[in-house]
Amino acid sequence: MQAARRRRGPLPFPPNSSPSASESHSAQEKKYFHLDLWLGLTVQNWILDFGRPIVMIVLPLEWFPLNRPSAGDYFHMLYNVLTPFIMLKLIERSPKALPRSAVYLCIITFVMGASIHLVGDSINHRLLLSGYQLHLSVRENPIIRDLKPTSLIDSFELLYFYDEQLGHLMWYIPFFIILLLYFCGCFSRRQQRLPLSAWLLLGPSALYYWYLVTEGQICELFLLTLGCMFAAVVHHRRRGLDLDSNGLFLLLSFSGTLLLMVLWVAFLWDDPILRAKYPGLLYVPEPWSYYSLHLRHNH
């Protein structure tokens, strides 16, 4: 019996177990459109990020006292957990191996920046309930400029810096770096088309990124990322490589965002108050500043 077993040799793998089949399935999964991840990312972005200030306005103030976290704060906490998780899962499905150290550093910075923004935005919402006007600077706001001692105004400007500048940069820079790293791995020699599910998801995705870029005031970062994407497409096409369905979806989403930004700027081009609030080479007003200036008193 033992001699016969030696002649036949050991089985290459146990019955009903095939490592090559498992690896083949994993490779095939990376090639197809990741509807579960893109849909999950888009839905949670709309609910937990865009819906965050809305739920704070809609729900009764009595449910969330000013000295306790609001409903929007809990939305933000959940966003800070789900978004990096989905992005890590997206990186796992990248057809190309990406530098782990860069990915980990980006995720850590992303969580830290989003957490800084959580605190600043929470306090900023309570200022809105007290009459703070988003279309005015900190020192021009009526509830701020009369504070005594005047050094308190500096503290509110520091809060604004953490909320709208440092928090946004530490939040959005690693976010776009991860998407760009993933995008650069989405090239293959076989051209792929977008499935119907991707086309249906394209509008909501582009519209959310428009909100992200305008409200986050990261137009330069977005344009730099989109420019790098087009440069990567040109570079890889010279080598005979085309975008897969996931990379094409991301590129079309960002292209749609750019179109929406142009229309938004054209719509508010002659607004003198927003022009004064957003000086500089790139004039891209925030949607919530537009709401504070033109729509808030109508509701």
Side-chain angles (χ1 to χ4, degrees), residues 63-245:
W63 293 5
F64 302 95
L66 293 180
N67 61 345
R68 292 292 184 269
S70 68
D73 296 337
Y74 292 114
F75 273 43
H76 208 321
M77 293 176 195
L78 192 56
Y79 172 91
N80 291 2
V81 174
L82 287 180
T83 304
F85 175 77
I86 294 176
M87 297 184 76
L88 283 173
K89 299 301 291 184
L90 190 65
I91 290 296
E92 286 180 5
R93 296 192 192 177
S94 172
K96 179 180 178 182
L98 301 177
R100 290 188 177 183
S101 297
V103 172
Y104 292 159
L105 186 60
C106 285
I107 291 295
I108 292 170
T109 307
F110 171 89
V111 174
M112 184 176 178
S115 300
I116 291 174
H117 182 267
L118 188 160
V119 177
D121 199 62
S122 177
I123 298 174
N124 185 56
H125 172 67
R126 281 144 182 77
L127 292 176
L128 288 176
L129 296 176
S130 301
Y132 188 86
Q133 301 178 44
L134 289 173
H135 59 279
L136 299 176
S137 66
V138 174
R139 291 187 178 271
E140 292 175 344
N141 262 272
I143 68 169
I144 300 293
R145 63 188 178 195
D146 296 328
L147 287 176
K148 300 297 180 182
T150 56
S151 58
L152 287 176
I153 301 178
D154 296 329
S155 298
F156 278 100
E157 285 189 325
L158 177 62
L159 175 67
Y160 181 86
F161 170 77
Y162 275 118
D163 179 17
E164 298 295 330
Q165 297 182 32
L166 183 62
H168 281 190
L169 291 177
M170 294 182 66
W171 179 0
Y172 297 131
I173 289 178
F175 178 81
F176 281 102
I177 289 178
I178 289 178
L179 290 181
L180 183 60
L181 288 174
Y182 174 80
F183 177 83
C184 290
C186 293
F187 290 90
S188 64
R189 296 196 176 277
R190 188 180 66 177
Q191 189 176 13
Q192 299 182 24
R193 295 182 178 180
L194 284 182
L196 177 61
S197 57
W199 286 109
L200 295 176
L201 195 58
L202 199 58
S205 177
L207 187 59
Y208 169 75
Y209 286 122
W210 163 82
Y211 169 77
L212 183 75
V213 172
T214 53
E215 187 64 29
Q217 290 295 285
I218 51 170
C219 182
E220 296 88 345
L221 175 61
F222 168 75
L223 292 176
L224 177 62
T225 304
L226 185 58
C228 290
M229 286 181 172
F230 280 115
V233 170
V234 173
H235 171 71
H236 284 88
R237 281 188 175 174
R238 290 178 178 175
R239 300 169 54 191
L241 302 175
D242 285 307
L243 278 172
D244 65 12
S245 57

Side-chain angles (χ1 to χ4, degrees), residues 23-40:
E23 292 174 3
S24 175
H25 175 74
S26 177
Q28 286 295 107
E29 184 184 50
K30 292 180 178 181
K31 293 180 182 179
Y32 290 120
F33 182 69
H34 307 318
L35 176 62
D36 56 339
L37 296 182
W38 293 120
L39 178 61

